[in-house]
Amino acid sequence: MFVDEAKISVKAGNGGGGCASFETTRGKKYGRPNGGIGGQGGNIVILADNNRQTLIEFRFNKHFKATSGKHGGSNNKKGEDGKECLLRVPPGTIIRDSDTGAILRDLSKTGEQVIIARGGAGGRGNSRKREATPGEAGESRELSLELKLVADVGIIGYPNAGKSTLLSKITSARPRIAGFPFTTKNPNLGVAQLGDFSFVIADIPGLIEGAHSGRGLGDRFLRHIERTRILVHLIDMSGIEGRDPEVSFSKLNMELGLYSKELTLKKQVIVANKMDMPQSKETIKFFDPKGVGKVYRISAMTGEGISDFLKGLAAELKKVI
Ligand SMILES: Nc1nc2c(ncn2[C@@H]2O[C@H](COP(=O)(O)OP(=O)(O)OP(=O)(O)O)[C@@H](O)[C@H]2O)c(=O)[nH]1
Ligand SMILES: [Mg+2]
């Protein structure tokens, strides 16, 4: 399963308390104050790490704490600092404040990191003029992590268009395929290889009318599409799902536009699927949406037309990389 969202709570370490102590010198009633300062509380740091692909570990373990600073000691001994707590997330993870929804940071590149909750400062030790103070509390935060998956190509289309079948044909991914809508509930990723050129393809769950406003969880999936470089728009040419190919094509494009203008600017490679079925050969004669260039004709099931399509796809992708 591809996990793309997680809610966690983090608590940075508290500062250690400052120490109140006095020199003990023989014969002197009041020695000089010599309380040490408390240690700094550990920070919570989030790092984008290429070795992470999902947020799955945050599904099970949701609470993270950095250690607190130790108290200061006598003889001006500083308390030891708390240890930071480092969380590794896949590049492309957006960190939000759960309460306000505000984006705190977008960790898009590997190696980027952010102190998301600061440890408290250690308290002051006592001195001649001042008393020792307690350490400050470390910050606590509720965070939402959101991963927009990074794929070169996104396969979009209505439920049952054959997106998962296509992914399984051109990559080694083995997504679930079935003759009912919404078989795919999370995006599946696969790597396609054409000679020495390889690229990542995502099979996105089926989109329907109203997807932009969340129908069928569409807004969640449209979010993934935002980060792909180009789109494969897969159309069921057989019409066995009771959808007119040309109407579905323009409706889906409208959904993209309603979600975000930028999505409509993405290059689309148009693919007519299920060309092994006799009715598809009839329907495609009337499939003529305006302004669309080449329409690849394939059968994701039999493999017909796939190699021509893959070459075309790789060529388009090379233009935008
Ligand atoms: N005849 C024929 N059937 C196909 C072809 N491609 C897919 N199918 C069938 O269409 C149905 C849906 O295929 P999926 O690959 O699960 O479709 P999907 O677009 O991933 O569907 P969702 O995940 O529900 O959005 C399955 O019964 C497939 O066997 C094709 O080229 N020809
Ligand atoms: Mg599917």
Side-chain angles (χ1 to χ4, degrees):
M1 185 181 63
F2 186 82
V3 178
D4 59 351
E5 275 175 327
K7 277 203 157 78
I8 59 170
S9 56
V10 297
K11 166 87 177 73
N14 297 327
C19 173
S21 92
F22 296 89
E23 269 177 12
T24 44
T25 318
R26 276 182 100 195
K28 266 198 179 170
K29 197 168 177 193
Y30 298 106
R32 269 194 287 187
N34 69 353
I37 62 173
Q40 171 86 22
N43 297 325
I44 305 275
V45 177
I46 303 186
L47 168 73
D49 182 342
N50 247 347
N51 294 319
R52 296 290 190 282
Q53 267 79 43
T54 71
L55 295 170
I56 196 154
E57 60 196 280
F58 301 103
R59 281 273 165 115
F60 307 113
N61 192 1
K62 293 170 179 295
H63 300 277
F64 298 91
K65 262 176 131 173
T67 56
S68 296
K70 297 251 167 61
H71 295 316
S74 49
N75 276 330
N76 295 315
K77 186 165 179 291
K78 180 181 178 297
E80 205 179 305
D81 290 340
K83 283 204 185 63
E84 78 169 22
C85 168
L86 181 69
L87 311 181
R88 294 170 189 272
V89 298
T93 300
I94 292 175
I95 307 164
R96 290 175 198 272
D97 183 318
S98 281
D99 302 325
T100 65
I103 294 182
L104 303 174
R105 192 66 183 262
D106 182 348
L107 295 176
S108 56
K109 289 193 196 74
T110 190
E112 277 181 359
Q113 60 174 41
V114 58
I115 297 175
I116 210 71
R118 275 188 192 280
R124 273 193 320 255
N126 63 333
S127 65
R128 213 178 289 241
K129 294 194 184 113
R130 293 181 303 209
E131 293 196 343
T133 60
E136 283 173 12
E139 283 180 326
S140 311
R141 276 189 135 149
E142 301 294 316
L143 303 174
S144 306
L145 306 179
E146 175 187 303
L147 173 65
K148 294 192 186 192
L149 97 205
V150 186
D152 300 303
V153 179
I155 308 175
I156 56 166
Y158 274 80
N160 275 346
K163 300 177 296 297
S164 302
T165 309
L166 178 59
L167 184 79
S168 70
K169 200 80 190 173
I170 57 183
T171 73
S172 59
R174 291 289 166 262
R176 190 158 170 232
I177 293 166
F180 52 82
F182 300 112
T183 306
T184 305
K185 298 207 166 51
N186 286 290
N188 298 303
L189 289 182
V191 180
Q193 188 91 35
L194 201 75
D196 58 0
F197 184 57
S198 67
F199 49 96
V200 179
I201 305 187
D203 156 33
I204 316 282
L207 297 168
I208 48 174
E209 291 94 63
H212 74 277
S213 58
R215 201 165 156 231
L217 294 180
D219 53 342
R220 253 182 70 191
F221 308 136
L222 284 163
R223 202 165 65 204
H224 294 303
I225 301 173
E226 281 185 300
R227 286 203 181 176
T228 59
R229 297 178 205 271
I230 62 176
L231 299 175
V232 166
H233 192 148
L234 194 65
I235 305 154
D236 178 348
M237 206 43 73
S238 72
I240 50 168
E241 298 293 322
R243 288 195 182 90
D244 177 76
E246 204 168 304
V247 174
S248 333
F249 175 73
S250 57
K251 272 194 179 161
L252 206 131
N253 278 330
M254 221 166 72
E255 284 302 324
L256 297 185
L258 287 170
Y259 181 75
S260 121
K261 270 270 127 2
E262 269 172 50
L263 277 186
T264 59
L265 302 176
K266 253 185 223 300
K267 168 74 190 168
Q268 286 189 9
V269 173
I270 320 285
V271 182
N273 190 30
K274 306 197 185 176
M275 290 308 294
D276 56 290
M277 298 178 83
Q279 61 265 46
S280 305
K281 299 186 175 82
E282 286 306 309
T283 325
I284 201 160
K285 291 181 187 160
F286 305 101
F287 183 75
D288 186 25
K290 275 189 210 79
V292 190
K294 184 172 166 88
V295 177
Y296 290 91
R297 302 175 180 206
I298 66 161
S299 166
M301 204 165 71
T302 67
E304 163 195 341
I306 294 278
S307 80
D308 184 39
F309 153 67
L310 256 188
K311 274 186 215 138
L313 178 60
E316 286 301 335
L317 191 55
K318 281 179 179 162
K319 286 186 199 165
V320 295
I321 281 180

